[in-house]
Amino acid sequence: MRIAVAGGTGWIGRRVVEAVRAGGHEPVVIARSAGVDLIRGTGLAEALAGTPIVIDVSDLWTISRKRSEEFFGTATGNLLAAGRRAGVRHHVVLSIVGVDRVDIGYYAGKRRQEALVLDGTVPGTVLRSTQFHEFAAQRIAPRGPIAAVPQLLSQPIAAREVAQCLVDLSVAEPAGLVPDLAGPQQLRMPEMARRLLRARGSRRVVLPVRLPGAVGRAMAEGALLPTGAGPRGTQTFDQWLASPVAQSRRGW
């Protein structure tokens, strides 16, 4: 089966493409490097021809509410419209646990994306996931003696397990907003970053930073944790730390 992966050349997108291929399906990469532009809509008709399933992991990191809403609103709208014309029967999108409880600009765009998929004419599924183990690597990426890491309580999960869950959902029936996906244990992000640095032999200092106001309080107190039962990943953070992807410094 042909399965289109929007954002298929990105960090999580590459893992979804791998999972699609491992499942015996044919991935169709939707990305500018593949000649498809989600914002302009160019190339979408050709990419989606004969493709009954779309998995959308396209992304743009920004703290601007306006930019986030414009990107996710336009990209998702174009993808859904092209999918409707092409006869796509299932549109799956990856979102974030707690996106409806933490009011930051980036999350506003993700909420816009969720609403478009859930209210659209193409049958859809929305999977909210907690932060990935690899998120700790992103937090320490800037060079320097000190790594400033947000005070964030999470239940991290391996990115490859998220990718596999997206593929499994995509070949099932559309299900709307499904139960939250999370990892096997709760951890604080500064501690994750500290353990990753030590595992890599680094002496850099981790500086926990609490974001101001209600947003910082919510993130520190567990607003990004799942609130009910749902699927759980099996790889622990310690197991991820011992994996080649973490040790190679290319875990994100």
Side-chain angles (χ1 to χ4, degrees), residues 91 118 166 214:
H91 185 107
L118 295 174
L166 286 167

Side-chain angles (χ1 to χ4, degrees), residues 63-126:
I63 60 173
S64 166
R65 180 181 300 265
K66 179 180 179 182
R67 191 177 181 203
S68 182
E69 289 181 333
E70 286 178 347
F71 173 80
F72 287 110
T74 301
T76 304
N78 286 340
L79 194 53
L80 287 169
R84 183 176 64 252
R85 291 190 294 268
V88 168
R89 63 174 177 80
H90 194 182
H91 185 107
V92 180
V93 68
L94 176 63
S95 191
I96 305 164
V97 170
V99 72
D100 54 341
R101 300 192 298 270
V102 178
D103 191 24
I104 59 177
Y106 175 71
Y107 284 7
K110 294 299 290 183
R111 292 194 295 268
R112 174 66 175 149
Q113 181 184 45
E114 287 189 1
L116 287 170
V117 172
L118 295 174
D119 297 337
T121 57
V122 177
T125 297
V126 174

Side-chain angles (χ1 to χ4, degrees), residues 53-191:
I53 296 172
V54 171
I55 300 175
D56 184 8
V57 291
S58 60
D59 200 14
L60 171 75
W61 174 245
T62 177
I63 60 173
S64 166
R65 180 181 300 265
K66 179 180 179 182
R67 191 177 181 203
S68 182
E69 289 181 333
E70 286 178 347
F71 173 80
F72 287 110
T74 301
T76 304
N78 286 340
L79 194 53
L80 287 169
R84 183 176 64 252
R85 291 190 294 268
V88 168
R89 63 174 177 80
H90 194 182
H91 185 107
V92 180
V93 68
L94 176 63
S95 191
I96 305 164
V97 170
V99 72
D100 54 341
R101 300 192 298 270
V102 178
D103 191 24
I104 59 177
Y106 175 71
Y107 284 7
K110 294 299 290 183
R111 292 194 295 268
R112 174 66 175 149
Q113 181 184 45
E114 287 189 1
L116 287 170
V117 172
L118 295 174
D119 297 337
T121 57
V122 177
T125 297
V126 174
L127 173 67
R128 291 175 176 173
S129 168
T130 52
Q131 285 68 35
F132 311 129
H133 294 321
E134 290 86 346
F135 190 63
Q138 290 179 308
R139 297 303 90 200
I140 64 172
R143 300 284 183 178
I146 297 176
V149 179
Q151 284 278 23
L152 186 157
L153 179 60
S154 183
Q155 196 164 324
I157 184 169
R160 294 187 185 278
E161 293 184 310
V162 176
Q164 186 60 58
C165 187
L166 286 167
V167 175
D168 291 344
L169 286 170
S170 76
V171 297
E173 292 299 314
L177 181 62
V178 297
D180 293 343
L181 174 64
Q185 59 189 156
Q186 294 182 14
L187 293 169
R188 292 196 174 275
M189 191 58 61
E191 178 60 23

Side-chain angles (χ1 to χ4, degrees), residues 5-11 13-14 17 28-40 42-44 47 58:
V5 182
T9 58
W11 176 73
R14 294 194 302 271
V17 168
V28 178
V29 173
I30 293 179
R32 280 178 296 187
S33 61
V36 188
D37 193 313
L38 285 175
I39 299 302
R40 296 177 179 172
T42 54
L44 278 173
S58 60

